[in-house]
Amino acid sequence: AGPGSGKTRVLTHRIAHLIYHNHVSPETIMAVTFTNKAAGEMKERIINLLGGRVGGLQIGTFHSICARLLRKEGDNTRYGHDFNIFDSDDQLTVMRQAIRELAVDSKKFSPERLRYAISTAKNNLITPDEFTPLDYFGETVGRVYPRYQSILHENNAMDFDDLLMQMVMLLRSNAQVRQKYENRIQYLLIDEFQDTNAAQYALVQLLGAPQNNIFVVGDEDQAIYAFRGADYRNVAQFRRDHPEATQIILDQNYRSTQRVLNVARTLIEKNKHRTPKVLFTDRKGGAK
């Protein structure tokens, strides 16, 4: 779905169609997006479409949904029902403590850089025990990561990346919990799919099985969050994992003029790893 082609509209109307025309229970539908603001807007649109008939509908970010499910499944984790979630400032405090205890040179290896490396590892579902250093910096990460994680455990806390990784690990290791959510989630819808990382892709596969009623909306051309772990290749991976999936290209733009679209296309079509599409609009011309 190209930019300005109505991605969120497609997703919200599909949910409304499932509930109103197919008589699907809202409790069996889960819709995931990337910001709380987007999730709020999505829910508001669906309420307007259905006149409020959305009781039990699960809409939220990956992180908020995982936090809610992990609290619910506290008896099946080491954290219990009432764990803390450490924000960015808390995480840096923990990192500085780990660096201090391990006598790591914070001028050479800043807390921010080390935290980013550990975040990347968690987004790729690599635990402290599984982390393999590739260079001198990696050796330092390999020393700090276990201590950073143990300080979190001492505070019965997770960072944002733990929310995703712990949910994946729970679903993979506990067949009873996995089966419960397999039975509960009949329809899974994901917005901005090009922004998913490895942990989020694994969650989609786990929560979407075995029904495989998975609906993703995305566009490799709009992948701009690689710096925080997003992997646009998940779009192609989804096609490989679900060869039976139907692909629908949204190529009409409702936001820009044709001149803007033409310039954008001449740039983006240099990229080889993308879904070919030529955006068009009814808004002809436009300022140069």
Side-chain angles (χ1 to χ4, degrees):
S5 62
K7 285 192 289 297
T8 305
R9 185 179 191 277
V10 164
L11 200 140
T12 53
H13 277 253
R14 175 170 170 79
I15 292 172
H17 183 87
L18 287 170
I19 296 170
Y20 187 78
H21 292 284
N22 292 18
H23 308 294
V24 172
S25 170
E27 294 179 357
T28 64
I29 300 172
M30 178 180 284
V32 187
T33 186
F34 277 83
T35 67
N36 291 320
K37 182 182 178 185
E41 288 176 0
M42 196 184 298
K43 191 163 190 175
E44 194 174 322
R45 286 197 201 186
I46 296 166
I47 288 171
N48 290 336
L49 285 169
L50 292 173
R53 294 167 46 194
V54 293
L57 178 65
Q58 303 171 77
I59 297 180
T61 65
F62 277 102
H63 293 89
S64 66
I65 286 172
C66 286
R68 189 164 66 244
L69 297 182
L70 286 167
R71 290 197 192 282
K72 195 174 290 185
E73 300 300 331
D75 293 339
N76 295 301
T77 74
R78 66 175 295 166
Y79 296 92
H81 300 280
D82 194 27
F83 54 83
N84 300 304
I85 300 174
F86 277 12
D87 63 18
S88 301
D89 291 339
D90 297 326
Q91 292 163 36
L92 283 175
T93 300
V94 172
M95 184 60 70
R96 291 188 187 100
Q97 180 182 337
I99 288 172
R100 190 168 58 251
E101 291 178 7
L102 297 170
V104 171
D105 186 346
S106 60
K107 291 182 180 176
K108 187 181 289 185
F109 303 110
S110 70
E112 291 84 359
R113 188 181 174 202
L114 288 166
R115 187 188 66 165
Y116 180 79
I118 290 172
S119 174
T120 300
K122 289 183 178 184
N123 284 334
N124 286 296
L125 301 173
I126 299 169
T127 65
D129 294 336
E130 296 166 337
F131 185 84
T132 304
L134 299 177
D135 53 22
Y136 182 52
F137 174 67
E139 289 177 6
T140 305
V141 175
R143 287 175 57 213
V144 173
Y145 188 2
R147 182 57 190 139
Y148 171 84
Q149 202 63 21
S150 66
I151 296 170
L152 287 176
H153 289 158
E154 289 164 12
N155 289 277
N156 196 37
M158 296 190 210
D159 61 21
F160 294 133
D161 303 307
D162 280 326
L163 295 171
L164 305 180
M165 187 163 78
Q166 292 298 324
M167 193 68 218
V168 171
M169 291 168 66
L170 175 62
L171 291 170
R172 284 178 173 175
S173 64
N174 191 315
Q176 190 174 1
V177 171
R178 184 171 65 251
Q179 190 172 23
K180 179 165 77 171
Y181 290 104
E182 285 177 355
N183 293 335
R184 181 175 299 174
I185 302 167
Q186 300 295 312
Y187 293 88
L188 182 63
L189 302 94
I190 317 293
D191 200 7
E192 305 290 3
F193 192 68
Q194 76 281 349
D195 291 338
T196 52
N197 59 34
Q200 289 160 340
Y201 188 87
L203 281 168
V204 171
Q205 296 298 93
L206 287 162
L207 294 171
Q211 289 86 0
N212 286 330
N213 288 329
I214 307 173
F215 180 84
V216 303
V217 185
D219 179 18
E220 303 98 325
D221 294 349
Q222 297 176 67
I224 60 172
Y225 291 115
F227 66 90
R228 67 182 190 200
D231 191 345
Y232 74 92
R233 293 173 298 181
N234 284 346
V235 177
Q237 186 63 45
F238 184 86
R239 292 194 190 99
R240 288 192 292 271
D241 289 339
H242 301 282
E244 76 289 357
T246 300
Q247 176 177 283
I248 299 165
I249 292 181
L250 301 185
D251 51 6
Q252 182 168 3
N253 176 286
Y254 299 93
R255 188 166 58 208
S256 302
T257 61
Q258 192 63 48
R259 183 166 276 137
V260 170
L261 300 182
N262 291 345
V263 172
R265 186 184 74 247
T266 61
L267 290 171
I268 200 67
E269 67 186 4
K270 309 296 184 194
N271 290 353
K272 296 174 183 176
H273 306 290
R274 59 184 291 269
T275 305
K277 56 188 171 299
V278 178
L279 298 182
F280 70 94
T281 180
D282 291 336
R283 301 178 67 190
K284 307 301 179 186
K288 290 184 180 178

